[in-house]
Amino acid sequence: MRTLKILAVDDHQLILKGYQYTFADINPAKYNINLTTANSYQEAKKIIESNIFDVAFLDIQIEKPDKENIDGNKTGEHLGMLLREISPKTKIIFQSSFSDSLRISNIFSSVNPDGYIVKTEVNEEVIEKALDNVLNDSTYYSKSAIDVFRKTMTNNIMINEDDKEILYRLSLGIKTKDLVDYVNLSVTGIETRKRKLKFIFDIENENDLALINEAKRRGFI
């Protein structure tokens, strides 16, 4: 029997409860699971900085934009990047409601996770299979995630951190001319990025509100 330290991060308590029930039902002859949970970026960050985990299950969107949040628009993606930096041996599995091809492509570019499970496909069998695979240095992707990969293998379009910051600040009501205080770009450069984002999201003739709404739908803010 293998003892596992697992971290689960999600901003919905019901999901965290689900993790507890699921791991409790996994064959105890196979794994002795020590589960730690967190429901915010800040809480998870503190835990990660003082503990080493065998596996981390991360949601992508773990906090809504908040003007008082000193860390800005931090997500499960940022936690994954932090884990890769301070605990490279930890296996990372994203479990998210997002199946958007662009969002998943960015996750794989920034974190390269060991697994990705779309929440609608989660059950005890899937979780156990994902654990078995990643602990044997393989990968596990749910069916919907695999379908997305097949469709986007030739897609090299990515959204970088400046783009994400622009989207986040726009969602807070900050005007384009004032975005120069948050990204190292001129107003002209920011307008160019916004046009690129609208092109990527296929809303070229829409306004900034449409850009914000589409970014939210795709899970970037």
Side-chain angles (χ1 to χ4, degrees), residues 107-187:
I107 288 288
F108 273 77
S109 176
S110 61
V111 181
N112 190 24
D114 303 279
Y116 194 106
I117 305 170
V118 177
K119 283 184 177 180
T120 54
E121 298 174 301
V122 172
N123 57 44
E124 182 183 327
E125 182 180 350
V126 166
I127 293 293
E128 186 166 355
K129 180 65 173 176
L131 274 179
D132 290 343
N133 281 23
V134 302
L135 291 170
N136 284 292
D137 295 323
S138 184
T139 56
Y140 184 87
Y141 309 127
S142 67
K143 182 181 182 303
S144 293
I146 291 173
D147 289 344
V148 169
F149 301 153
R150 287 172 177 162
K151 293 176 183 176
T152 59
M153 286 179 67
T154 59
N155 182 4
N156 294 320
I157 297 175
M158 290 292 168
I159 291 179
N160 63 26
E161 289 301 313
D162 280 342
D163 296 327
K164 294 174 190 175
E165 190 69 19
I166 288 169
L167 291 170
Y168 171 59
R169 298 297 171 180
L170 285 173
S171 75
L172 297 181
I174 295 172
K175 297 183 183 300
T176 297
K177 66 182 179 63
D178 296 322
L179 290 176
V180 293
D181 295 332
Y182 302 96
V183 294
N184 189 27
L185 293 168
S186 65
V187 172

Side-chain angles (χ1 to χ4, degrees), residues 1-13:
M1 179 177 62
R2 181 174 180 180
T3 297
L4 296 178
K5 290 187 65 177
I6 294 179
L7 173 67
V9 183
D10 198 290
D11 60 352
H12 293 91
Q13 289 295 334

Side-chain angles (χ1 to χ4, degrees), residues 12-201:
H12 293 91
Q13 289 295 334
L14 190 60
I15 299 294
L16 295 180
K17 280 289 185 183
Y19 276 119
Q20 293 173 355
Y21 294 138
T22 297
F23 289 130
D25 288 339
I26 289 178
N27 186 354
K30 184 187 292 186
Y31 300 121
N32 174 33
I33 295 175
N34 181 358
L35 176 65
T36 301
T37 63
N39 64 5
S40 70
Y41 173 84
Q42 275 294 325
E43 182 183 9
K45 181 174 181 285
K46 290 177 182 177
I47 291 171
I48 288 170
E49 290 174 338
S50 57
N51 295 273
I52 300 296
F53 293 94
D54 297 292
V55 184
F57 286 82
L58 307 178
D59 190 13
I60 293 177
Q61 195 171 41
I62 53 175
E63 285 184 10
K64 294 179 173 62
D66 181 356
K67 293 180 181 179
E68 304 302 320
N69 182 0
I70 60 173
D71 279 308
N73 184 33
K74 296 299 186 182
T75 65
E77 180 179 354
H78 293 98
L79 284 177
M81 294 165 66
L82 179 64
L83 269 169
R84 285 287 183 245
E85 179 182 343
I86 66 178
S87 182
K89 292 185 178 181
T90 297
K91 304 297 185 180
I92 299 174
I93 300 173
F94 280 97
Q95 179 177 301
S96 177
S97 58
F98 294 117
S99 57
D100 177 81
S101 60
L102 184 59
R103 193 70 186 97
I104 293 178
S105 295
N106 273 266
I107 288 288
F108 273 77
S109 176
S110 61
V111 181
N112 190 24
D114 303 279
Y116 194 106
I117 305 170
V118 177
K119 283 184 177 180
T120 54
E121 298 174 301
V122 172
N123 57 44
E124 182 183 327
E125 182 180 350
V126 166
I127 293 293
E128 186 166 355
K129 180 65 173 176
L131 274 179
D132 290 343
N133 281 23
V134 302
L135 291 170
N136 284 292
D137 295 323
S138 184
T139 56
Y140 184 87
Y141 309 127
S142 67
K143 182 181 182 303
S144 293
I146 291 173
D147 289 344
V148 169
F149 301 153
R150 287 172 177 162
K151 293 176 183 176
T152 59
M153 286 179 67
T154 59
N155 182 4
N156 294 320
I157 297 175
M158 290 292 168
I159 291 179
N160 63 26
E161 289 301 313
D162 280 342
D163 296 327
K164 294 174 190 175
E165 190 69 19
I166 288 169
L167 291 170
Y168 171 59
R169 298 297 171 180
L170 285 173
S171 75
L172 297 181
I174 295 172
K175 297 183 183 300
T176 297
K177 66 182 179 63
D178 296 322
L179 290 176
V180 293
D181 295 332
Y182 302 96
V183 294
N184 189 27
L185 293 168
S186 65
V187 172
T188 300
I190 291 168
E191 290 286 3
T192 299
R193 292 294 182 98
K194 285 166 57 180
R195 285 195 296 272
K196 184 199 80 169
L197 289 167
K198 289 177 182 179
F199 173 78
I200 291 172
F201 292 164

